[in-house]
Amino acid sequence: MKSMIFSRVRNRISAVVSVYNELVCKPKGIKQYSSDVKVTSRVKQVDIPGPDPTPPFKGNDSDFPCVLRNSISGPEPEYEKVISGFKTFTYKQPFQFKYHDGILPEVTIAYETWGTLDESASNAIFIFSGLSSSSHARSHAENLKPGWWEKFIGPGCAIDTDKFFVICANHIGGCYGSSGPSSINPLTEKPYGTTFPVICIEDLVRFQFMLVESLGISKLYGAVGSSLGGMCSLLTGVIFSDKVERVVTISSCAKSHPSSIAMRYLQRRTIMSDTNWNNGHYYGKAYPKIGMKLAREIATITYRSGPEWDMRFGRNRIDPSSQPSLCPNFMIENYLDYQGEAFCTKFDPNSLLYISKAMDLFDISEDFGSMKAGLSRIKCPVLILGVQTDILFPIWQQRELARELHEAGNKAVTFYELNSIFGHDTFLLDLNGVGAAVKGFLETNLAKKDTDGEHKKDDGSQQ
């Protein structure tokens, strides 16, 4: 009897090993599928063979459509067609970057303008964009598509084009018309790729001021920015203190903190771990779509807030009648998947690497010994906006910035805390809270106010 049982077990084990070797160790005819190809076959999990009608094991059986549909990237992105209607300024002499003695033989920056510059060239406002934004902040005759800050700019808006001449540019290192890794090196006639110099916020600001001067403007009425743009507007007040009359920094900081650095690091790692990234030289070759998609999904988590997602998605299922699987079952998973898919071919992965690293490197104290010493160079009024649900630039960073500016001697600091559920993306969505604060600050002559600084919540109360 024992020998019979042993023989039966041995035969089952042998059969399992045979099936395993056939399906796993020697995969035959397994193909990759693009998103537009219908999957008609599946690679099944190994079942225990034998006549027993009640087998001791039944495993997961799935073709993982959420993986297969992304196994081959879509069409190659065409960055120059993402936007249109921008102007360019090209500096045809070598431009030196802060780190590693990096030099480009020439640099081009894309920009757009709205409103009219007055005769004294004293009504110009520069809007510094975010990480992935273009120069197209608002629609105009040359590009009728809505801009990324469409409702905030225009006649009678927060930034009133009846009063101000407004400028917005695509950052150096970007891919929407400005010089970046996807641009052609005129010396090699090939894309720079990762031979592009490492950039920092100071490089971005200095070159954008070269653009401002090329337009015949010696002093800005205002420097306005959110997120990365808020770093730029703040640094403008530090290194060009005599060339700006007021600064607006929204959902930003005076230095990047470890948590935000960690989240941007993970985004870079997902891109660089994609085999198609090819050390940054993928132009004209297979595109690192999977890495870029995952990077955007990680970023999306940092841009919104838990309270919003709880109200918007909760634990709702995509299909309540379906059985659980390892692919997305919850609406929040589907939302992240959509965000990654929608964005991954609209922005150059190398641009994300370079600009996100510049954000990590940002620290006002770097060249001045301390944060307070750096901020003491800002002589103009400053508006600081923060959002209580922001996890990427948490509210304590804006509180710290307001306090440090005040202690550094700036008596014209206004600080608002916004109680919005939209997290970091509030600056793109909250027209009432953000727009009203910006409009009031820009259109009030704060230079003549003799105050001890103000800290306000969005209900208008002072603290």
Side-chain angles (χ1 to χ4, degrees), residues 240-286:
F240 294 109
S241 57
D242 59 337
K243 294 184 178 182
V244 61
E245 292 186 21
R246 58 196 69 198
V247 166
V248 177
T249 175
I250 308 168
S251 296
S252 194
C253 62
K255 63 179 178 181
S256 289
H257 69 103
S259 294
S260 62
I261 292 173
M263 297 305 293
R264 287 188 287 264
Y265 162 77
L266 286 178
Q267 294 173 55
R268 292 193 295 272
R269 285 294 293 172
T270 60
I271 293 171
M272 297 170 75
S273 296
D274 189 319
T275 55
N276 288 340
W277 181 64
N278 193 31
N279 291 330
H281 299 287
Y282 49 82
Y283 303 106
K285 303 175 183 177

Side-chain angles (χ1 to χ4, degrees), residues 374-390:
L375 294 175
S376 68
R377 297 171 59 88
I378 301 177
K379 306 302 181 184
C380 65
V382 180
L383 171 65
I384 302 167
L385 294 181
V387 180
Q388 294 171 356
T389 56
D390 193 338

Side-chain angles (χ1 to χ4, degrees), residues 410-427:
N410 193 318
K411 302 302 181 182
V413 179
T414 302
F415 173 33
Y416 284 93
E417 289 189 11
L418 301 179
N419 183 20
S420 167
I421 65 169
F422 297 118
H424 187 64
D425 273 357
T426 294
F427 76 89

Side-chain angles (χ1 to χ4, degrees), residues 145-411:
K145 293 181 180 179
W148 58 266
W149 232 21
E150 182 76 15
K151 295 180 180 180
F152 292 80
I153 305 168
C157 294
I159 301 180
D160 193 342
T161 52
D162 286 338
K163 296 181 174 70
F164 303 114
F165 177 67
V166 183
I167 312 162
C168 184
N170 179 223
H171 291 295
I172 299 301
C175 55
Y176 296 144
S178 295
S179 295
S182 60
S183 302
I184 300 298
N185 183 338
L187 302 182
T188 64
E189 298 184 350
K190 296 179 180 179
Y192 286 105
T194 47
T195 66
F196 197 82
V198 172
I199 60 177
C200 66
I201 304 300
E202 183 177 332
D203 296 324
L204 307 184
V205 171
R206 289 193 182 280
F207 196 80
Q208 289 181 88
F209 253 82
M210 293 174 66
L211 164 63
V212 169
E213 292 173 353
S214 75
L215 297 174
I217 301 166
S218 58
K219 188 173 186 177
L220 289 173
Y221 178 84
V224 179
S226 307
S227 190
L228 162 63
M231 295 176 172
C232 293
S233 61
L234 185 66
L235 189 61
T236 294
V238 173
I239 62 178
F240 294 109
S241 57
D242 59 337
K243 294 184 178 182
V244 61
E245 292 186 21
R246 58 196 69 198
V247 166
V248 177
T249 175
I250 308 168
S251 296
S252 194
C253 62
K255 63 179 178 181
S256 289
H257 69 103
S259 294
S260 62
I261 292 173
M263 297 305 293
R264 287 188 287 264
Y265 162 77
L266 286 178
Q267 294 173 55
R268 292 193 295 272
R269 285 294 293 172
T270 60
I271 293 171
M272 297 170 75
S273 296
D274 189 319
T275 55
N276 288 340
W277 181 64
N278 193 31
N279 291 330
H281 299 287
Y282 49 82
Y283 303 106
K285 303 175 183 177
Y287 179 76
K289 178 183 177 182
I290 294 177
M292 189 62 171
K293 178 178 178 178
L294 290 175
R296 185 61 174 186
E297 291 177 8
I298 293 170
T300 301
I301 295 172
T302 71
Y303 294 157
R304 308 306 276 257
S305 77
E308 180 205 2
W309 283 351
D310 191 45
M311 293 175 60
R312 185 173 175 184
F313 303 112
R315 289 180 51 81
N316 295 333
R317 302 288 187 97
I318 300 170
D319 181 2
S321 65
S322 67
Q323 291 292 317
S325 72
L326 297 181
C327 283
N329 292 116
F330 294 96
M331 291 296 294
I332 184 62
E333 295 176 295
N334 198 50
Y335 171 76
L336 291 176
D337 182 77
Y338 168 78
Q339 291 295 324
E341 190 71 28
F343 178 81
C344 64
T345 57
K346 291 182 179 179
F347 195 72
D348 181 25
N350 280 339
S351 287
L352 193 151
L353 299 182
Y354 274 82
I355 299 177
S356 70
K357 190 66 176 184
M359 295 177 72
D360 290 353
L361 295 170
F362 182 63
D363 183 353
I364 284 290
S365 67
E366 181 178 9
D367 295 322
F368 305 102
S370 69
M371 184 187 298
K372 190 170 296 183
L375 294 175
S376 68
R377 297 171 59 88
I378 301 177
K379 306 302 181 184
C380 65
V382 180
L383 171 65
I384 302 167
L385 294 181
V387 180
Q388 294 171 356
T389 56
D390 193 338
I391 63 173
L392 184 60
F393 289 83
I395 191 65
W396 64 261
Q397 288 197 294
Q398 292 88 56
R399 293 172 183 164
E400 176 187 53
L401 175 57
R403 184 183 65 252
E404 291 285 339
L405 271 167
H406 183 67
E407 292 178 358
N410 193 318
K411 302 302 181 182

Side-chain angles (χ1 to χ4, degrees), residues 18-59:
S18 177
V19 172
Y20 178 83
N21 287 335
E22 184 66 24
L23 292 180
V24 180
C25 297
K26 297 179 180 179
K28 297 178 180 179
I30 298 177
K31 299 180 180 180
Q32 291 182 317
Y33 298 89
S34 60
S35 58
D36 58 349
V37 176
K38 184 178 181 180
V39 179
T40 56
S41 63
R42 60 177 14 175
V43 180
K44 292 181 177 294
Q45 301 293 331
V46 177
D47 290 326
I48 300 295
D52 192 341
T54 57
F57 170 78
K58 180 175 175 58

